[in-house]
Short mmCIF file of all heavy atoms in Angstrom, two decimals:
data_model
loop_
_atom_site.label_atom_id
_atom_site.label_comp_id
_atom_site.label_asym_id
_atom_site.label_seq_id
_atom_site.Cartn_x
_atom_site.Cartn_y
_atom_site.Cartn_z
N THR A 115 -4.80 -11.26 65.12
CA THR A 115 -3.75 -11.02 66.20
C THR A 115 -2.55 -10.17 65.83
O THR A 115 -2.13 -9.39 66.72
CB THR A 115 -3.26 -12.40 66.70
OG1 THR A 115 -2.73 -13.18 65.66
CG2 THR A 115 -4.30 -13.20 67.37
N SER A 116 -1.94 -10.33 64.70
CA SER A 116 -0.62 -9.70 64.52
C SER A 116 -0.70 -8.14 64.31
O SER A 116 0.31 -7.44 64.41
CB SER A 116 0.04 -10.27 63.28
OG SER A 116 -0.80 -10.24 62.19
N SER A 117 -1.86 -7.62 64.10
CA SER A 117 -2.00 -6.19 63.77
C SER A 117 -1.99 -5.37 65.10
O SER A 117 -2.82 -5.58 65.92
CB SER A 117 -3.25 -5.89 62.96
OG SER A 117 -3.36 -4.44 62.80
N PRO A 118 -1.09 -4.37 65.19
CA PRO A 118 -1.15 -3.46 66.32
C PRO A 118 -2.25 -2.42 66.23
O PRO A 118 -2.69 -1.95 67.22
CB PRO A 118 0.27 -2.76 66.30
CG PRO A 118 0.63 -2.91 64.81
CD PRO A 118 -0.05 -4.10 64.27
N ASP A 119 -2.64 -2.15 64.98
CA ASP A 119 -3.68 -1.18 64.75
C ASP A 119 -5.07 -1.81 65.14
O ASP A 119 -5.16 -2.97 65.20
CB ASP A 119 -3.69 -0.75 63.31
CG ASP A 119 -2.34 -0.11 62.91
OD1 ASP A 119 -1.74 0.58 63.79
OD2 ASP A 119 -1.84 -0.39 61.86
N PRO A 120 -6.05 -0.93 65.24
CA PRO A 120 -7.42 -1.49 65.32
C PRO A 120 -7.67 -2.46 64.23
O PRO A 120 -7.36 -2.15 63.09
CB PRO A 120 -8.31 -0.22 65.20
CG PRO A 120 -7.42 0.96 65.02
CD PRO A 120 -6.05 0.55 65.36
N ALA A 121 -8.13 -3.57 64.56
CA ALA A 121 -8.33 -4.67 63.58
C ALA A 121 -9.16 -4.23 62.40
O ALA A 121 -10.29 -3.75 62.61
CB ALA A 121 -8.77 -5.91 64.21
N PRO A 122 -8.68 -4.36 61.23
CA PRO A 122 -9.55 -4.18 60.01
C PRO A 122 -10.58 -5.21 59.97
O PRO A 122 -10.50 -6.27 60.66
CB PRO A 122 -8.56 -4.26 58.80
CG PRO A 122 -7.43 -5.08 59.32
CD PRO A 122 -7.29 -4.85 60.80
N PRO A 123 -11.66 -5.01 59.23
CA PRO A 123 -12.74 -5.95 59.13
C PRO A 123 -12.25 -7.37 58.88
O PRO A 123 -12.76 -8.30 59.40
CB PRO A 123 -13.54 -5.47 57.91
CG PRO A 123 -13.21 -4.03 57.80
CD PRO A 123 -11.82 -3.86 58.31
N ASN A 124 -11.27 -7.44 58.04
CA ASN A 124 -10.63 -8.77 57.78
C ASN A 124 -9.12 -8.47 57.71
O ASN A 124 -8.68 -7.58 56.95
CB ASN A 124 -11.12 -9.33 56.47
CG ASN A 124 -10.65 -10.79 56.34
OD1 ASN A 124 -9.46 -11.05 56.49
ND2 ASN A 124 -11.52 -11.72 56.01
N PRO A 125 -8.32 -9.18 58.46
CA PRO A 125 -6.89 -8.86 58.50
C PRO A 125 -6.18 -9.21 57.26
O PRO A 125 -5.10 -8.68 57.01
CB PRO A 125 -6.47 -9.76 59.73
CG PRO A 125 -7.43 -10.79 59.80
CD PRO A 125 -8.74 -10.23 59.33
N VAL A 126 -6.65 -10.12 56.46
CA VAL A 126 -5.92 -10.48 55.28
C VAL A 126 -6.61 -9.88 54.07
O VAL A 126 -7.72 -10.27 53.63
CB VAL A 126 -5.87 -12.02 55.09
CG1 VAL A 126 -5.08 -12.38 53.94
CG2 VAL A 126 -5.30 -12.63 56.34
N LEU A 127 -5.90 -8.86 53.45
CA LEU A 127 -6.52 -8.19 52.34
C LEU A 127 -5.67 -8.33 51.12
O LEU A 127 -4.49 -8.44 51.21
CB LEU A 127 -6.71 -6.68 52.67
CG LEU A 127 -7.62 -6.34 53.75
CD1 LEU A 127 -7.66 -4.92 54.10
CD2 LEU A 127 -9.03 -6.85 53.44
N ARG A 128 -6.29 -8.29 49.98
CA ARG A 128 -5.61 -8.44 48.76
C ARG A 128 -6.16 -7.48 47.75
O ARG A 128 -7.33 -7.15 47.75
CB ARG A 128 -5.87 -9.94 48.24
CG ARG A 128 -5.03 -10.37 47.14
CD ARG A 128 -5.07 -11.90 47.09
NE ARG A 128 -6.36 -12.47 47.49
CZ ARG A 128 -7.36 -12.61 46.66
NH1 ARG A 128 -7.27 -12.38 45.40
NH2 ARG A 128 -8.49 -13.18 47.06
N HIS A 129 -5.23 -6.89 46.97
CA HIS A 129 -5.69 -5.90 45.97
C HIS A 129 -6.36 -6.68 44.79
O HIS A 129 -5.83 -7.67 44.29
CB HIS A 129 -4.56 -5.12 45.41
CG HIS A 129 -3.96 -4.18 46.40
ND1 HIS A 129 -4.55 -2.92 46.55
CD2 HIS A 129 -2.99 -4.25 47.23
CE1 HIS A 129 -3.93 -2.25 47.49
NE2 HIS A 129 -2.95 -3.06 47.95
N ALA A 130 -7.54 -6.24 44.48
CA ALA A 130 -8.34 -6.89 43.47
C ALA A 130 -8.02 -6.29 42.07
O ALA A 130 -7.63 -6.97 41.13
CB ALA A 130 -9.79 -6.82 43.71
#
Side-chain angles (χ1 to χ4, degrees):
Chain A
T115 58
S116 54
S117 173
D119 302 321
N124 189 313
V126 182
L127 297 177
R128 192 159 35 87
H129 287 277

